[in-house]
Amino acid sequence: MVAYVVVPGIGGSDERHWQSRWEAGWGASATRIAPGSWTEPDLEDWVAAVRTAYERAVRQADGDGVALVAHSLGCWAAARWLEEARPGGVVVFLAAPPDPLGPAFPREAASTFLGVTARPLPCPGLVVSSDDDPYCGAAAAAGLATGWESPRTSVGKQGHINSESGHGDWERGRELLRVLLGRTPAV
């Protein structure tokens, strides 16, 4: 059984968010990060929360691997942890990563994330972006995917791919995650 680590953005994902819906469906095979700095994100706190959730997930994975499912600012926490830990048996689904150089990036609230850069990921990954995301334009998303050395899939004009965008269960995202999971190496 694949285990899932849910890595939301600022404030966590509310109950209407596709991440929360997926997590509920995964039941005990899902673990959500629990940083102490949800509303004023501290990068190191979030990275530590990813590490803790991953360790819990590995115990549940039964050798079938772990999928990090990140949204927004959580993409950066997941990528930084992957860069540091370099674990085996992992894939990462990066939905709507924000551009730290973009005009809408929450500079004040997430100041410890300002120096992040996309570096090659040590595992299979997928960057999923929207062409009208207020936090990351299409060209910036393509640049992040290039930096992470991961393919990018555009889902068209879907906003920030969050609750406010009205995605519900986000079936297209589930399909993309299933394809990515087909590339999950064994733990």
Side-chain angles (χ1 to χ4, degrees), residues 166-183:
H167 282 80
D169 288 335
W170 194 32
E171 288 306 318
R172 175 70 175 130
R174 283 185 197 267
E175 292 169 19
L176 293 168
L177 179 59
R178 278 192 286 277
V179 170
L180 179 60
L181 287 171
R183 299 169 50 201

Side-chain angles (χ1 to χ4, degrees), residues 73-152:
L73 203 59
C75 296
W76 287 107
R80 174 62 66 89
W81 177 77
L82 286 165
E83 183 181 329
E84 292 175 3
R86 307 191 73 72
V90 175
V91 297
V92 62
F93 183 85
L94 302 166
D99 175 8
L101 302 176
F105 191 82
R107 285 175 174 68
E108 190 171 317
S111 62
T112 59
F113 286 73
L114 288 175
V116 295
T117 57
R119 297 187 181 126
L121 296 172
C123 64
L126 178 64
V127 177
V128 181
S129 65
S130 167
D131 293 338
D132 64 348
D133 187 336
Y135 297 100
C136 190
L144 295 176
T146 297
W148 282 321
E149 293 184 357
S150 294
R152 171 184 168 257

